[in-house]
Amino acid sequence: TASTMIVEYGPFGFALGTGTQVLVSGADSVDITGLVANTPYDVYVRGVCSGTDSSEWAFRTTFRTECGELAIPYYENFDSYVGGSPNFPACWYRPVMESTYPYLTNTTSYVYNGSGNAIMFAGAATVVTPRIPVPANEIELTFNLRREGASSGSIEVGWVSDPNTLSDFRSIAIIDQANTGVYEEFSFAFDTLTTTDTGYICFRQISTSTIWYYWLDEVYIEQMLPCHRLEYYVHLMLKL
């Protein structure tokens, strides 16, 4: 019976012999450290009875590390994912769903610039970003939005501390997009919030129809430092 094991781990699909090996003696578990957030890993194990007697490698498990917080500034165009229902970006949340919505669509007529993916909303569909590691009132958000028609209703943007319950949702803006069938860029500073806690950005559709849609793409999040706030408002005034 082997009292010593060799554990080898690496990114999902790695070739045995190219991963990281850990020698485990007199224990039935091992802590693996230094892993990258939101990354799948494979783990293999072999028993060692002596210097000349070892078992064959046996596949043990595949696991994905926790998401962790976003690195700021953060940009997401969703194009690294496989599009199509019911697919959805890793580490994002959809606490309120309308049938299979929201999901990643890859329909060329609906996505930004005609290629890649976008998040498609319907009804009361709600989308929440991964955790943002900066104070809520220092967030600056830019994104592109496309509205199908008047029956699509509006999109409300806000901040939450819990991405599942949305119990303390704080509204930043309600967008009733005038132009339909085209993407438009929107930018919002979250400095009207009084909280300095870290949390999440929430997008939710407000519509009584479940067959009229919105699409979200090209999301950019950054920390708006005090000297940057003047630049932001000058930029906003020039756009107006």
Side-chain angles (χ1 to χ4, degrees):
T1 301
S3 60
T4 300
M5 299 180 296
I6 299 176
V7 177
E8 182 170 348
Y9 64 93
F12 176 76
F14 82 98
L16 269 172
T18 65
T20 300
Q21 293 190 357
V22 180
L23 184 66
V24 183
S25 181
D28 57 5
S29 64
V30 61
D31 292 331
I32 298 176
T33 61
L35 303 179
V36 178
N38 187 33
T39 301
Y41 288 88
D42 288 339
V43 180
Y44 292 83
V45 178
R46 75 186 306 179
V48 180
C49 294
S50 69
T52 59
D53 185 12
S54 298
S55 70
E56 296 295 323
W57 283 105
F59 173 72
R60 183 66 181 89
T61 188
T62 293
F63 67 92
R64 178 181 287 272
T65 51
E66 294 182 353
C67 291
E69 297 179 329
L70 292 181
I72 299 298
Y74 170 77
Y75 168 73
E76 179 62 83
N77 64 5
F78 309 110
D79 293 351
S80 64
Y81 300 98
V82 177
S85 177
N87 295 343
F88 198 68
C91 300
W92 288 60
Y93 302 82
R94 42 183 173 181
V96 180
M97 296 187 65
E98 195 74 59
S99 182
T100 60
Y101 301 95
Y103 68 81
L104 285 173
T105 179
N106 56 6
T107 303
T108 56
S109 57
Y110 295 153
V111 299
Y112 187 78
N113 285 338
S115 64
N117 300 309
I119 293 182
M120 188 172 183
F121 293 74
T126 301
V127 170
V128 180
T129 67
R131 176 175 283 276
I132 302 167
V134 300
N137 61 357
E138 294 180 8
I139 293 173
E140 182 181 341
L141 169 68
T142 302
F143 58 93
N144 275 267
L145 197 64
R146 183 181 190 268
R147 185 191 201 193
E148 183 179 19
S151 295
S152 299
S154 56
I155 289 286
E156 187 171 22
V157 179
W159 180 92
V160 293
S161 66
D162 188 322
N164 296 302
T165 67
L166 311 180
S167 58
D168 61 347
F169 179 88
R170 304 180 194 186
S171 182
I172 294 296
I174 297 178
I175 304 168
D176 191 4
Q177 193 173 354
N179 297 317
T180 60
V182 295
Y183 274 96
E184 293 181 313
E185 183 181 285
F186 295 88
S187 293
F188 298 102
F190 283 48
D191 58 353
T192 55
L193 296 177
T194 57
T195 181
T196 58
D197 293 342
T198 60
Y200 309 78
I201 294 174
C202 179
F203 303 85
R204 62 185 185 187
Q205 185 173 359
I206 304 172
S207 175
T208 57
S209 172
T210 60
I211 57 172
W212 287 82
Y213 311 108
Y214 268 97
W215 295 268
L216 172 70
D217 209 346
E218 302 289 314
V219 177
Y220 183 69
I221 303 169
E222 60 183 322
Q223 183 174 13
M224 187 165 56
L225 300 175
C227 62
H228 188 200
R229 297 189 181 197
L230 178 59
E231 295 177 10
Y232 172 80
Y233 288 116
V234 169
H235 172 68
L236 183 61
M237 291 174 64
L238 289 173
K239 289 183 67 175
L240 295 175

